[in-house]
Amino acid sequence: MRFASVIVDVKAMQTDRAFDYLIPDKWTGFIKAGMRVIVPFGPRKVQGFVIGLKNESEFDRVKPIAEVMDITPALTKELLDIGHWLTQTTLCFKISAFQAMLPAAMKAKYEKEIVLVSDEHRPKLHPKVLPFFQSRRSIFWKDIEKSDSVKEFQLEIERGALEVIYQVKQKNKKKTQKYITANAETAELKKESELCTAQAAKQKLVLDYFIENSSLSVPLQELLLQLNITDSPVKTLIKKKLLREENIEVYRDPYEDRIFKKTEPLALTAEQQTAISPILNSVEQNRHDVFLMYGVTGSGKTEVYLQSIESVLNQGKEAIVLVPEISLTPQMVNRFKGRFGSLVAVLHSGLSVGEKYDEWRKIHRGEVKLVVGARSAVFAPFTNLGMIIIDEEHEGSYKQEENPRYHARDVAVYRAKFHQCPVVLGSATPSLESFARAGKGVYQLLSLKERVNQRPLPQVEVIDMRDELRSGNRTMFSSSLLEKLQDRTQKGEQSVLFLNKRGYSSFVMCRDCGCVTGCPHCDISLTYHKHGSQLKCHYCGHEESMPKVCPECSSEHIRFFGTGTQRVEEELAKVLPEARIIRMDVDTTGRKGSHEKLLTQFGNKEADILLGTQMIAKGLDFPDVTLVGVLTADTMLHLPDFRSSEKTFQLLTQVSGRAGRHELPGEVVIQSYSPEHYSIQLASHHDYDSFYQQEMLSRKQHAYPPFYYLALVTVSHPDLLKAVSVTEKIAKHLNQRLSDTVQILGPVASPIPRINDRYRYQCMIKYKREENLHASLKMIIERYQQDMNKNQLSISIDLNPNTMM
Ligand SMILES: Nc1ncnc2c1ncn2[C@@H]1O[C@H](COP(=O)(O)OP(=O)(O)OP(=O)(O)O)[C@@H](O)[C@H]1O
Ligand SMILES: [Zn+2]
Ligand SMILES: [Zn+2]
């Protein structure tokens, strides 16, 4: 093949197609689809992906490929196909789709180099420029940028004495380690060793080492340590060609110094057995089925995953397990590494760029068989995939909130179809979408209704915080919660205190009656805007001013709401000075490893109370936790989001699930200003089924998923009027092109109306089936392409948005 079709790393509509490049003779037969290459593009060089090969090009002047970055394709055929599919289903640029499937380290880094065109130019260079080129011909732009000579450089470039060359580099290099090996026969080494004088005693030491270990290749550092020498005798011996040094590639292993205790499969309970058998069937028969494993907290879902994976590995196939970022705790990793040891690669954001790259390469080379990772691990480059598991399938973080805006669940199903293998979605609180699909038979439902060993689900008490206020308690702890915290601290048992930080300060509530001011048209709470003291609805645009008294009970105790973890910690220290507290939030877990350290401390019982935000809600399994407290259950309930009830129910269920998982029974206290809300009531009774029924009714009534699909178009611009007028035109365009069954809401300001000094407007499309939708949205992007390139306009399109924020 003489030509390659290449997708170049330039994100624009005009370049969102394949360009032809000539394959130089030396690389014919070597270059394959899926490889990364460097190609000339205009005046510079850019990275690109080869997506296909061909013998003819319809263009006359085709430039040759400049460099090849891979020896084996970075993207498999399957991933190339997924890239095209992502482009169509999420309306992103092809290059964004391909880049999203690879670790960040493999993205290109561009560096400008300034090069002297020829030696003849040197003497004539400007005196401020000359010193840079006295002894060399090129210098990196970044080293000049800081100097005060940029203008002079510019002049020389314009004059043609210097030129700019764009270098493409890989962000991250492979890590190598120096290894030393004998480079001569043992007999020769012996002869040399005998000749060594007293001054060369150290050399003798090294020679003797390699006489004894003739075939060994040892890391230099280890050799120096063992023999207690510096590297100079080794260097001398290398010079004499008696030893040889090699740079051997090593992996950065984030779990290097940890020992994983090997675990054996547990004897499954009857429920687990019933749940696993259809999965095993599907594995055996290479069938593509999607299972929804709906199992209460502590029902042993993870053990079912582990044994399902085992059957996949026994077949010689590979598996992917997706876990939400925040529950990818060391505990979680241990469970998989403990069972499958070095067959496991782990991918999560806590790893350095280099570590992620190394884990990815282990997968790419087929050195591991199982990946446990967050969202993007769904693109693991396995070629013989036997199963994809998504734990906590309801989690919002499986949706990527930037281009490509894909949902890992959709990618998983797409891949599993290709490989004819099962997908297992697991959750104690399935998303409404998935549960509805299971109801229709699209997914197969597997239920685990009881905790392992019939341990009871914890008793849940819902406290009405309005009553607390009435009886004179103005602290953030109800008397019941405080009493129980005291009790656990005295008994040496542990408590988890959960503060929901999302929705901080954004809604207005009456502290006497719990009334939250909502929109008259949308059944959604209004958002408080400090500026002008306005309350606004982010769905329909309704606006009113902040009431002075509660519209329901006329109380003056009306205010917007929110508390930080730090304040809770301070108050807790006042009312419960004897308790030892570990606080976990973004502030205390910023540094690498701190998350793990705090959890280990808590596990070692160095604290009585673990206080934290979302990050402690999931996955934790500590035997001595017998009390879980939720400080304000309401904060999320009133977010301007059609999923707010669902998210509240899910979160309360998850947090409650941390209590009483082992011998000691657990108890939960939920504090709320709207204790009668169905998501709180039903969560306290562990009643998912009723919650599902009720929430489905509300979704149907208001035309939300899973009854309708949504698409969200967000326009942003530094000028408010421009943002509004473009959004208006878009809404009009959509109204004209789409069918009458479609509802188009807006234009309205986005829930976050200004980010980075850019005004944001949006319009929401609700539809059931709409042939024209993708094409119409694409037309919008084409129509505004110029404005987007030149005039700071940005338009983002989110098909199936997960949140409205
Ligand atoms: N068959 C079994 N026999 C004995 N113990 C088991 C069995 N299966 C699971 N367990 C134990 O029960 C506990 C709860 O199981 P696991 O964590 O897998 O539940 P889960 O459903 O994944 O929970 P969650 O959704 O709350 O994270 C664990 O300590 C686990 O080791
Ligand atoms: Zn009131
Ligand atoms: Zn409204």
Side-chain angles (χ1 to χ4, degrees), residues 57 86 178 289 297 310-311 328 418 442 454 492 505 521 563 573 579 583 587 602 743 750:
S57 170
L86 281 177
K178 276 203 180 96
D289 293 315
T297 55
E310 197 180 333
S311 78
L328 204 51
F418 177 91
V442 181
Q454 279 85 47
S505 287
H521 311 294
T563 332
R583 172 163 66 95
D587 299 328
F602 190 64
Q743 293 182 37
S750 296

Side-chain angles (χ1 to χ4, degrees), residues 14 31 57 82 96 105 139 160 192 264 276 303 335 340 505 512 578 726 805:
Q14 303 91 307
I31 288 190
S57 170
I82 293 177
S96 311
I139 179 166
E192 285 291 327
E264 296 299 329
I276 202 173
E303 186 61 32
R335 293 181 78 172
F340 302 111
S505 287
D512 279 320
E578 67 273 26
V726 170
M805 310 295 281

Side-chain angles (χ1 to χ4, degrees), residues 309 313 317-323 328 336-337 340 343-348 359-364 367-382 385 387-389 415:
I309 293 166
L313 301 190
K317 293 189 177 178
E318 300 123 4
I320 298 174
V321 180
L322 300 187
V323 176
L328 204 51
F336 289 93
K337 286 239 181 192
F340 302 111
L343 292 177
V344 186
V346 179
L347 286 172
H348 65 86
E359 293 292 292
W360 183 88
R361 278 184 305 141
K362 285 187 207 163
I363 305 164
H364 192 233
E367 293 168 7
V368 293
K369 297 291 170 199
L370 172 64
V371 173
V372 180
R375 182 178 60 227
S376 64
V378 76
F379 298 116
F382 283 134
L385 202 52
M387 178 175 294
I388 303 179
I389 294 170
R415 287 198 78 176

Side-chain angles (χ1 to χ4, degrees), residues 519-523 526 537-542:
C519 174
H521 311 294
C522 298
D523 202 13
L526 293 172
C537 170
H538 289 304
Y539 283 108
C540 71
H542 172 85

Side-chain angles (χ1 to χ4, degrees), residues 74 83 284 292-293 373 385 402 474 558 654 678 690 781 783:
E284 232 159 69
L292 176 61
M293 190 159 63
L385 202 52
E402 59 188 66
R474 288 183 177 270
I558 185 162
Q654 292 294 345
Y678 64 97
S690 304
I781 298 192
R783 155 79 179 73

Side-chain angles (χ1 to χ4, degrees), residues 295-299 301 392 394 428-429 451 455-463 488 494-499 613-614 616-631 633 647-662 664-671 679-688:
V296 299
T297 55
S299 59
K301 295 186 285 294
E392 314 282 2
H394 60 275
T429 51
R451 281 189 161 179
R455 279 168 211 137
L457 284 165
Q459 278 290 325
V460 183
E461 182 187 2
V462 180
I463 305 281
R488 301 303 138 107
Q494 292 180 300
S495 309
V496 168
L497 263 190
F498 177 75
L499 177 76
T613 52
Q614 255 75 348
I616 63 167
K618 296 198 172 70
L620 303 183
D621 191 15
F622 293 111
D624 288 325
V625 172
T626 57
L627 175 66
V628 167
V630 180
L631 288 174
K647 284 182 182 159
T648 301
F649 181 86
Q650 286 164 346
L651 199 67
L652 292 179
T653 306
Q654 292 294 345
V655 191
S656 307
R658 300 310 112 208
R661 293 168 70 88
H662 295 257
L664 301 167
E667 224 180 334
V668 179
V669 176
I670 295 177
Q671 302 188 156
S679 64
I680 294 174
Q681 278 304 319
L682 294 171
S684 78
H685 293 112
H686 312 291
D687 190 356
Y688 176 83

Side-chain angles (χ1 to χ4, degrees), residues 91 94 108 193 259 275 296 320 345 347 419 455 527 554 660 737 772:
L91 301 178
K94 291 191 170 69
S193 164
I259 298 152
V296 299
I320 298 174
L347 286 172
H419 288 280
R455 279 168 211 137
T527 301
S554 306
R737 292 201 33 113
N772 264 333

